[in-house]
RNA sequence: GGCGUGGUAGCUCAGCUGGUCAGAGCGCAUGAUUCAUAAUCAUGAGGUCGGCGGUUCAAGCCCGCCCCACGCUACCA
């Protein structure tokens, strides 16, 4: 058993709010795990924080006419307080703009730099803005995409066609700072030689071996995590740039690196370290024990988009540094979808965490209702779907009908029969609670192996066991026969023990409800280590709630959503469903006016030679999913045109299809076939294509103007 | 096309290194019950474990091929 634990959750990027998928992916599971460890009295620290560097933040600031600092302050505060309100119980929520983080990152960089062999320097040509006197990050350059002609393509990527670009490829490059044409200048950057770490990384991930000794059980890692890592390793690792020419970020601590900062991906994971340092500073603890001591277990909670980073890149950095522990597990979750689609802020699909809290402000137990629904559907091994229907079912049928109702029955019966005291009983708890103990034990194992969905079901099994038990004994029947029947006292005594156990076991999952159950039972608030004590008592056959212990008055834990006497809660949920209806309704009229391209002159248009044509033959291009090789008749002439429409049309149906062709487009080879033109199509909002053409039989090779 | 992960009862999903692994929850049907939030409990309904081959005494679980979904990636002149 490990002496102490260090848990991390992915640092949220401080330029936006987080939605329910984020919560279910990296924060809620970690919260369950950490709360559970605390209940067991383990020495555990859970760190997180805002990731506040990177070009995206400066660009956003520029667009909104504010400083980057204002952006990160806004979202740091928003995310931090939202987490807090949802009961996400970080030990420390730091931020990477903090001085301590800058120092930590620079120290880390220098350690690798002075060690030698980890970095390489490369001279590259990069665009430079002479007005602003600085090199331009890829994102600071826009220009015409060489692939699709989109005029607002970024230096690293064209958002129109999705191509990955290098700034050098752009036609008409412009600086987003000055708007002027940048000049190419030489600049130097440092690269982390990731590839040299490949051999040990493979052994570490595949076999769990590190430096010849067992480090972790590779079978305990999720399959998709190992799979993706090995896939990456098979693809061969490349050196990764770790510096940028940017004014926003952590300065590279070398005299020759003026104006350069650490690339955000390098400094962000070090944020875990600096967050721990800051925590140690404020709590008088030695942070290094948590990162460097062999008896510390390090676990990263992340979403699947971060797998490679946390399983390959960051471990390589830590190993290169030499003093740090490597993660024992990286239980990455897959993605949560929302009512059948991906979360999409721009399309209004989904709900953000702070929005939920706002919309559900009048919903009792809103935090636990949400947490429970997310846990039950947590994307542990594959993408899952959040649905309001299920939200209602989980809440009403499991939290209210099963758990809440059981607690209520026990409290009410205790009050009715014994005046609100735990009754006298000589029953052997060891025997009576044998099955409950086994379930509790199973729950432990499930949390230990990061199976939170199963764990919460096991929790429900315990209260379900209690319901069945009550039904079997039926103390209300016995009471009619003989109110002094000792079986009644035994039954209620045992039931009270189960509720007491539930008050602890449920805390990691529904921490807002647990204290209420404690109060109902007249038990003290939950403290670190109480679950371990409870387990010990159970093993010894001792009560968690002794004879004569005063019980509080009954109170409902969960007010059902579907309730014939009060539909206020249902209305709150229904408003969310209506919102989705509206979003879908708004999509129908395809309203979106085409995003206007820049104005052109008639001459620009006249340079196009557009012709009518007809498809004579069509076949799939081998080894390409999207490409069709078309033979198109343009009057007397025949052309070969390769077009990316294979996913929209069956080649067999195409011969005879009239089309319009850009006839004077420069030829280009695609998958080894020369394409001599381009077919025009129109795409609707669903992404479906239709050909643009004159009516069938109108004629081929005719000019279109 | 390459790589990764999935394809198990109407729905949502568990099934670890092959032999009580054919399961859970919801839904459905019938019955019991009233302490409780129209809650609870019992019983049942038979899914060829994506398809086809193969290895094995024995295969959802191993191998090969194929189909489908999702993700990453290449190709949408």
């Amino acid at each position: 058993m490990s002496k102490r634990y260090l848990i991390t959750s992915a640092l949220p990027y401080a330029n936006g709010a987080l939605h329910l998928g984020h919560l279910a992916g990296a924060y809620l599971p970690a919260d369950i795990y950490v709360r559970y460890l605390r209940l067991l009295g383990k020495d555990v620290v859970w760190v997180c924080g805002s990731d506040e560097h990177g070009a995206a933040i400066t660009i956003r600031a520029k667009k909104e006419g504010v400083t980057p600092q204002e952006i990160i302050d806004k979202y740091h505060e928003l995310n931090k307080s939202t987490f807090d309100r949802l009961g996400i119980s970080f030990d420390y929520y730091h931020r990477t703009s903090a001085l301590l983080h800058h120092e930590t990152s620079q120290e880390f960089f220098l350690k690798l730099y002075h060690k030698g062999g980890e970095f390489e320097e490369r001279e590259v040509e990069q665009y430079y803005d002479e007005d602003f006197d600085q090199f331009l990050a890829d994102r600071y350059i826009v220009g015409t995409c060489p692939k699709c002609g989109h005029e607002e393509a970024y230096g690293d990527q064209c958002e129109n066609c999705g191509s990955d670009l290098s700034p050098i490829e752009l036609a008409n490059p412009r600086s987003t700072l000055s708007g002027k044409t940048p000049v190419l200048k030489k600049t130097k950057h440092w690269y982390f030689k990731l590839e040299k770490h490949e051999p040990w990384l493979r052994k570490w991930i595949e076999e769990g071996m590190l430096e010849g000794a067992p480090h972790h059980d590779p079978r305990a890692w999720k399959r998709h995590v190992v799979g993706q890592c090995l896939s990456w390793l098979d693809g061969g690792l490349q050196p990764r740039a770790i510096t940028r020419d940017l004014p926003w970020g952590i300065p590279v601590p070398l005299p020759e690196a003026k104006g350069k900062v650490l690339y955000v991906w390098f400094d962000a994971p070090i944020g875990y370290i600096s967050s721990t340092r800051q925590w140690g500073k404020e709590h008088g603890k030695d942070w290094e024990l948590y990162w460097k001591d062999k008896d510390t277990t390090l676990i990263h909670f992340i979403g699947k988009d971060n797998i490679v980073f946390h399983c390959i890149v960051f471990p390589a950095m830590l190993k290169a540094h030499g003093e740090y522990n490597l993660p024992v597990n990286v239980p990455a979750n897959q993605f949560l979808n929302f009512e059948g689609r991906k979360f999409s802020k721009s399309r209004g699909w989904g709900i953000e965490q702070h929005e939920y809290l706002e919309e559900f402000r009048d919903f009792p137990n809103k935090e636990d209702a949400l947490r429970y629904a997310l846990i039950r559907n947590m994307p542990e091994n594959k993408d899952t779907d959040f649905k309001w229907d299920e939200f209602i079912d989980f809440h009403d049928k499991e939290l209210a009908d099963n758990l809440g109702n059981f607690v209520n029955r026990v409290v009410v019966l205790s009050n009715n029969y014994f005046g609100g005291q735990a009754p006298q009983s000589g029953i052997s708890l060891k025997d009576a609670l044998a099955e409950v103990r086994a379930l509790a034990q199973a729950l432990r194992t499930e949390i230990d192996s990061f199976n939170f969905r199963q764990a919460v079901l096991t929790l429900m099994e315990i209260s379900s066991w209690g319901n069945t038990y009550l039904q079997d004994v039926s103390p209300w029947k016995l009471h009619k026969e003989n109110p002094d029947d000792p079986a009644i006292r035994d039954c209620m005594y045992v039931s009270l023990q189960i509720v007491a156990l539930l008050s602890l076991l449920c805390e990691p999952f529904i921490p807002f409800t647990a204290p209420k159950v404690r109060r109902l039972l007249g038990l003290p608030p939950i403290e670190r280590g109480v679950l371990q004590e409870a387990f010990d008592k159970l093993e010894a056959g001792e009560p968690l709630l002794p004879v004569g212990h005063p019980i509080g008055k009954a109170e409902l834990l969960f007010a059902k959503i579907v309730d014939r006497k009060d539909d206020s809660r249902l209305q709150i949920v229904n408003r969310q469903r209506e919102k989705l209806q509206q979003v879908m309704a708004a999509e129908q009229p395809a309203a979106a006016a085409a995003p206007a391209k820049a104005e052109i002159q008639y001459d620009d248009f006249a340079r196009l030679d557009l012709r009518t044509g007809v498809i004579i033959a069509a076949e799939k291009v081998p080894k390409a999913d999207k490409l069709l090789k078309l033979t198109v008749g343009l009057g007397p002439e025949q052309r070969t045109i390769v077009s990316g429409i294979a996913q929209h049309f069956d080649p067999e149906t195409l011969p005879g299809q009239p089309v319009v062709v850009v006839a004077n487009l420069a030829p280009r080879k695609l998958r080894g076939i020369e394409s001599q033109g381009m077919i025009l199509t129109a795409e609707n909002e669903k992404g479906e294509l239709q050909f643009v053409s004159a009516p069938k039989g109108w004629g081929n090779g005719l000019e279109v103007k």
Side-chain angles (χ1 to χ4, degrees):
Chain A
M1 241 335 176
S2 175
K3 262 192 193 158
R4 65 185 80 73
Y5 294 79
L6 177 64
I7 312 298
T8 75
S9 284
L11 305 189
Y13 200 50
N15 81 333
L18 300 177
H19 58 61
L20 302 189
H22 296 117
L23 188 60
Y27 307 103
L28 191 48
D31 190 56
I32 294 166
Y33 192 67
V34 168
R35 284 175 181 272
Y36 158 79
L37 291 177
R38 290 184 190 129
L39 281 178
L40 289 178
K42 303 286 184 192
D43 184 358
V44 51
V45 174
W46 181 23
V47 295
C48 192
S50 294
D51 173 11
E52 308 185 303
H53 295 130
I57 284 171
T58 57
I59 289 173
R60 175 165 186 156
K62 201 164 151 36
K63 274 186 188 160
E64 296 181 8
V66 299
T67 63
Q69 189 68 43
E70 285 174 273
I71 298 276
I72 64 172
D73 284 351
K74 175 178 169 187
Y75 289 110
H76 174 72
E77 288 309 323
L78 176 67
N79 289 333
K80 185 174 194 263
S81 69
T82 306
F83 279 137
D84 192 46
R85 290 205 286 156
L86 286 165
I88 301 298
S89 59
F90 301 122
D91 287 294
Y92 206 84
Y93 193 79
H94 201 225
R95 55 193 305 186
T96 63
S97 60
L99 181 61
L100 182 64
H101 175 68
H102 282 227
E103 289 171 5
T104 307
S105 302
Q106 292 178 332
E107 283 167 17
F108 201 106
F109 177 93
L110 285 174
K111 169 87 183 195
L112 298 199
Y113 180 82
H114 291 308
K115 181 185 173 193
E118 298 294 342
F119 294 165
E120 64 181 61
E121 299 175 15
R122 289 188 189 176
E123 283 262 306
V124 292
E125 285 216 306
Q126 205 179 331
Y127 280 118
Y128 185 85
D129 188 318
E130 291 182 310
D131 282 14
F132 278 67
D133 205 23
Q134 64 173 253
F135 281 100
L136 295 167
D138 295 352
R139 280 258 147 182
Y140 274 116
I141 300 157
V142 295
T144 305
C145 173
K147 306 200 171 172
C148 71
H150 179 60
E151 296 190 1
E152 300 294 327
Y154 289 111
D156 57 346
Q157 195 185 35
C158 171
E159 295 191 339
N160 188 48
C161 67
S163 317
D164 283 325
L165 303 172
S166 126
I168 314 280
E169 296 178 70
L170 293 177
N172 302 318
R174 305 188 302 283
S175 162
T176 59
L177 298 180
S178 64
K180 294 187 179 167
T181 304
V183 297
L184 273 176
K185 258 177 112 164
K186 284 205 166 156
T187 179
K188 186 158 73 176
H189 282 295
W190 282 263
Y191 286 69
F192 178 50
K193 296 167 77 167
L194 190 57
E195 74 285 3
K196 71 172 251 195
H197 294 280
E198 186 177 328
W200 73 261
L201 276 169
R202 186 179 291 279
K203 227 171 163 41
W204 180 62
I205 290 170
E206 238 173 0
E207 302 164 28
M209 298 294 284
L210 186 63
E211 288 168 352
H215 175 265
H216 65 262
D217 177 5
R219 287 176 310 181
W221 286 35
K222 296 190 185 191
R223 227 185 303 216
H224 67 268
V225 173
V226 173
Q228 190 173 337
C229 291
L230 293 179
S231 165
W232 246 68
L233 290 172
D234 289 345
L237 301 179
Q238 302 293 326
R240 287 177 71 110
I242 55 172
T243 57
R244 298 265 109 169
D245 288 299
L246 256 188
W248 179 251
I250 298 172
V252 177
L254 297 172
E256 67 216 271
K258 250 203 158 115
K260 294 183 197 302
V261 297
L262 298 177
Y263 200 179
V264 60
W265 72 254
F266 185 82
D267 91 70
I270 296 173
Y272 297 140
I273 300 172
S274 53
S275 187
T276 314
R277 285 183 76 173
Q278 186 64 34
W279 167 83
K281 224 170 152 177
E282 295 182 19
H283 294 80
K285 296 287 180 67
D286 178 7
W287 71 273
E288 290 185 277
L289 276 179
Y290 292 86
W291 274 101
K292 302 181 178 178
D293 192 276
K294 282 194 177 50
D295 281 329
T296 300
T297 297
L298 171 65
I299 296 171
H300 296 307
F301 283 88
I302 55 170
K304 69 174 166 186
D305 51 336
N306 270 325
I307 288 173
V308 165
F309 204 83
H310 285 76
C311 298
I312 292 180
V313 183
F314 189 46
M317 285 166 61
L318 293 172
K319 180 80 162 25
H321 185 288
E323 296 172 15
Y324 287 92
N325 291 332
L326 264 48
V328 168
N329 204 335
V330 184
N333 273 346
Q334 308 257 12
F335 286 156
L336 182 75
N337 290 321
F338 187 80
E339 294 282 0
R341 305 189 191 180
K342 293 180 197 315
F343 281 87
S344 167
K345 185 168 187 157
S346 57
R347 295 183 181 198
W349 198 259
I351 184 165
E352 289 170 353
Q353 296 175 16
H354 70 282
E355 269 184 307
Y356 170 84
L357 288 171
E358 179 59 22
E359 302 270 345
F360 280 66
R361 62 186 175 282
D362 296 326
F363 189 100
N365 251 321
K366 56 184 171 298
E367 303 88 356
D368 283 349
L370 177 65
R371 288 175 65 114
Y372 190 77
L374 292 176
I375 296 166
R376 283 288 276 110
N377 237 338
M378 198 168 262
E380 287 176 338
N381 296 307
K382 57 176 138 180
D383 291 359
T384 58
D385 207 8
F386 179 93
K387 296 190 188 78
W388 289 116
D389 283 354
E390 285 186 338
F391 175 87
I392 293 173
D393 276 359
F394 291 148
H395 179 272
D396 283 4
K397 292 176 177 149
E398 298 182 18
L399 289 178
D401 291 349
N402 183 353
L403 177 64
N405 186 41
F406 173 61
V407 172
N408 192 240
R409 301 171 84 179
V410 173
V411 173
V412 168
L413 285 170
S414 298
N415 275 291
N416 287 356
Y417 298 160
F418 309 113
Q421 284 195 348
Q424 190 74 42
S425 166
I427 194 169
S428 158
L429 289 179
K430 209 162 183 173
D431 297 338
L433 293 175
E435 288 177 53
V436 170
R437 253 188 7 244
L439 285 171
Q441 202 51 247
L443 192 151
R444 292 184 67 158
T445 308
E446 284 148 8
I447 295 185
D448 281 333
S449 47
F450 311 108
N451 293 322
F452 303 114
R453 293 170 67 130
Q454 186 55 50
V456 86
L457 281 176
T458 302
L459 178 75
M460 286 299 147
E461 269 188 71
I462 294 176
S463 78
S464 188
W465 191 93
N467 274 321
T468 307
Y469 174 69
L470 278 184
Q471 200 71 29
D472 284 349
V473 180
S474 291
W476 48 91
K477 274 189 186 169
L478 302 177
H479 193 78
K480 277 181 193 158
E481 304 283 320
N482 170 19
D484 294 325
D485 191 335
I488 302 176
R489 294 201 299 272
D490 289 345
C491 174
M492 294 320 299
Y493 186 61
V494 168
S495 298
L496 282 166
Q497 307 308 323
I498 297 173
V499 177
L501 178 63
L502 283 171
S503 76
L504 299 175
L505 288 178
C506 76
E507 197 267 352
F509 307 100
I510 44 176
F512 293 83
T513 303
K516 293 182 190 168
V517 181
R518 302 290 289 176
R519 274 202 301 279
L520 285 178
L521 293 182
L523 289 168
I526 292 173
E527 284 174 27
R528 199 176 272 258
V530 287
L531 183 57
Q532 187 58 57
E533 290 169 26
F535 280 136
D536 294 343
K537 282 184 185 168
L538 282 181
E539 285 307 314
E542 293 168 16
L544 305 183
L545 197 144
V547 169
H549 182 91
I551 311 296
K553 289 277 171 258
E555 220 177 283
L556 290 191
L557 291 175
F558 300 96
K560 290 177 71 165
I561 297 170
V562 179
D563 179 343
R564 48 172 57 184
K565 294 175 214 121
D566 174 6
D567 69 346
S568 62
R569 293 174 293 281
L570 185 57
Q571 279 183 27
I572 293 173
V573 178
N574 279 341
R575 273 205 293 277
Q576 296 304 313
R577 291 161 146 167
E578 282 160 20
K579 260 194 195 169
L580 299 180
Q581 294 294 330
Q582 285 166 14
V583 170
M584 287 194 278
E587 284 168 353
Q588 295 308 329
K597 293 184 183 175
E599 185 174 279
I600 61 169
Q601 299 305 312
Y602 177 77
D603 285 352
D604 295 322
F605 169 72
R607 291 164 62 195
L608 294 175
D609 184 9
L610 298 176
R611 301 278 174 164
T612 62
V614 64
I615 295 177
I616 295 168
E619 59 180 291
K620 274 215 66 171
V621 175
K623 298 187 180 187
D625 283 358
K626 296 185 182 173
L627 299 182
L628 286 186
K629 177 184 169 189
L630 306 172
T631 305
V632 179
L634 292 178
E637 187 188 356
Q638 285 195 5
R639 295 270 187 106
T640 297
I641 294 179
V642 180
S643 183
I645 56 175
Q647 291 173 326
H648 301 276
F649 301 103
D650 177 357
E652 290 177 17
T653 66
L654 289 181
Q657 169 70 45
V659 291
V660 170
V661 174
V662 182
N664 62 339
L665 192 64
R668 160 130 179 179
K669 271 200 173 182
L670 286 174
R671 286 272 153 193
I673 303 167
E674 185 174 274
S675 180
Q676 304 157 330
M678 179 171 159
I679 303 276
L680 298 189
T681 57
E683 182 177 1
N684 70 6
E685 71 281 0
K686 288 183 192 162
E688 297 164 337
L689 293 184
Q690 268 307 328
F691 291 104
V692 173
S693 70
K696 210 164 185 168
W698 188 254
N700 295 330
L702 307 175
E703 198 177 342
V704 177
K705 53 185 181 180

